[in-house]
Amino acid sequence: MDGDLGDFLRSRRARIQPEEVGLPSHGRRRVPGLRREEVAQLAGVSVDYYIRLEQGRGPSVSDAVLGAIARVLRLDETEHAYLHAVARPPKKRTNRRREAAPRVRPGIQLLLDSMERTPAFILGPRMDVLAWNALADAVSGYSRMAPARRNVVRQLFLEPQGRDLYPDFAAVAAQTVAHLRLNAGAHPDDPGLRDLVGELSLKSEDFRRLWADHQVKACMYGVKRVRHPVAGLLTLPYESLVLPESPDQTLVAYTPEPGSETAERLALLGSWASSPTR
């Protein structure tokens, strides 16, 4: 996406104070953090080269230079990978057609269905929910949603109940946007992803603020608390696995401790959801 490299570099150098890297902090500074010439000096490149890189008009940049810049800006492993992705995006295809919705292999659906006691679903790169099992449906109601609404980010920021669903909304929102930005760096030429970011930026002030912060994080495991209208408060640890044969698809499974209150509530929820008198 246009401007991502420059915006990302500016946001990362803004968080590094001069004294942290052995530079004097005296003198008036118009912007927080390191100046561009200081990053260039510390990374061992010319100021003109770094400025052109930050403006998105530089030449093809080497791994060594990106590594030096990542070191100066103290990027973690995920941020370093994102820097590589946005600094060297794939060449844009001409006359690119909008791709059809990704399909989940039948074997993966069978795998989901076999996980009877574990809510599990498949996410695509735009964080669309592509497939799910019965217990995940009981938790989130995917089968009752229109296909366009089956998107984790759109649900969180645009649905009326999105904020009420998560007691820890601020943390969930920040993690979700950071993961979406990571996906956007890996798929800069995805028109559907670009449209999603545009729509959310226009309609949600929370999303717009978080997107502008340029945080990048792969949220592959953790804990979410969900306030379910029937089951009550669920504390849901989750694990995410990228499918080897479909690297753009991720299996997410909620894994509460056996015997825990949440596990018992999920069992009751599954029974309630499958009841013919429901």
Side-chain angles (χ1 to χ4, degrees):
M1 296 184 183
D2 295 340
D4 275 359
L5 175 59
D7 290 342
F8 179 69
L9 289 173
R10 284 188 287 272
S11 71
R12 298 306 91 177
R13 63 182 172 85
R15 69 181 183 178
I16 306 295
Q17 298 306 311
E19 56 269 22
E20 294 180 49
V21 291
L23 295 175
S25 59
H26 60 268
R28 184 179 179 183
R29 289 178 175 265
R30 293 180 296 175
V31 295
L34 296 178
R35 300 185 177 104
R36 290 183 295 188
E37 56 267 26
E38 291 170 337
V39 176
Q41 174 190 346
L42 293 168
V45 299
S46 72
V47 175
D48 180 65
Y49 183 95
Y50 180 79
I51 290 175
R52 286 187 288 120
L53 179 65
E54 197 169 280
Q55 292 176 342
R57 57 185 182 89
S60 179
V61 59
S62 69
D63 288 344
V65 169
L66 290 177
I69 292 172
R71 172 181 51 79
V72 172
L73 298 180
R74 300 187 175 185
L75 304 186
D76 61 26
E77 184 177 345
T78 302
E79 292 171 325
H80 194 168
Y82 178 79
L83 176 62
H84 273 263
V86 295
R88 294 198 298 230
K91 292 183 179 180
K92 292 184 178 181
R93 304 180 203 172
T94 58
N95 300 323
R96 180 186 175 100
R97 295 182 178 180
R98 189 173 294 272
E99 296 178 355
R103 299 183 64 182
V104 174
R105 290 192 296 108
I108 297 299
Q109 183 64 64
L110 288 172
L111 175 64
L112 294 177
D113 293 339
S114 71
M115 302 166 69
E116 296 179 356
R117 299 182 181 181
T118 302
F121 53 94
I122 303 294
L123 287 180
R126 303 167 195 165
M127 303 186 77
D128 294 317
V129 181
L130 306 178
W132 56 88
N133 64 9
L135 197 50
D137 194 26
V139 171
S140 300
Y142 297 128
S143 65
R144 300 188 299 276
M145 297 179 187
R149 290 181 55 216
R150 293 186 196 127
N151 179 279
V152 170
V153 197
R154 185 177 280 113
Q155 244 191 334
L156 188 62
F157 290 99
L158 300 185
E159 294 294 330
Q161 71 275 20
R163 186 178 292 272
D164 297 332
L165 187 62
Y166 297 100
D168 310 306
F169 175 83
V172 173
Q175 292 171 358
T176 302
V177 174
H179 192 89
L180 183 68
R181 181 169 280 285
L182 182 65
N183 288 354
H187 303 275
D189 202 23
D190 184 334
L193 205 159
R194 186 166 54 245
D195 291 347
L196 175 65
V197 171
E199 177 190 6
L200 290 162
S201 297
L202 285 172
K203 295 180 178 179
S204 170
E205 182 180 350
D206 287 327
F207 178 86
R208 186 164 58 250
R209 172 179 52 81
L210 290 167
W211 188 257
D213 200 31
H214 285 267
Q215 295 299 319
V216 181
K217 184 178 180 181
C219 301
M220 302 301 288
Y221 61 91
V223 180
K224 286 183 180 178
R225 294 196 304 155
V226 174
R227 189 181 289 111
H228 192 274
V230 174
L233 184 63
L234 302 174
T235 301
L236 298 168
Y238 65 90
E239 297 288 342
S240 304
L241 304 171
V242 176
L243 301 183
E245 296 299 320
S246 304
D248 287 343
Q249 297 180 7
T250 302
L251 188 154
V252 182
Y254 292 133
T255 56
E257 188 73 22
S260 65
E261 184 177 10
T262 291
E264 293 176 358
R265 290 184 176 187
L266 284 176
L268 290 173
L269 182 60
S271 299
W272 172 82
S274 61
S275 171
T277 61
R278 176 189 165 191

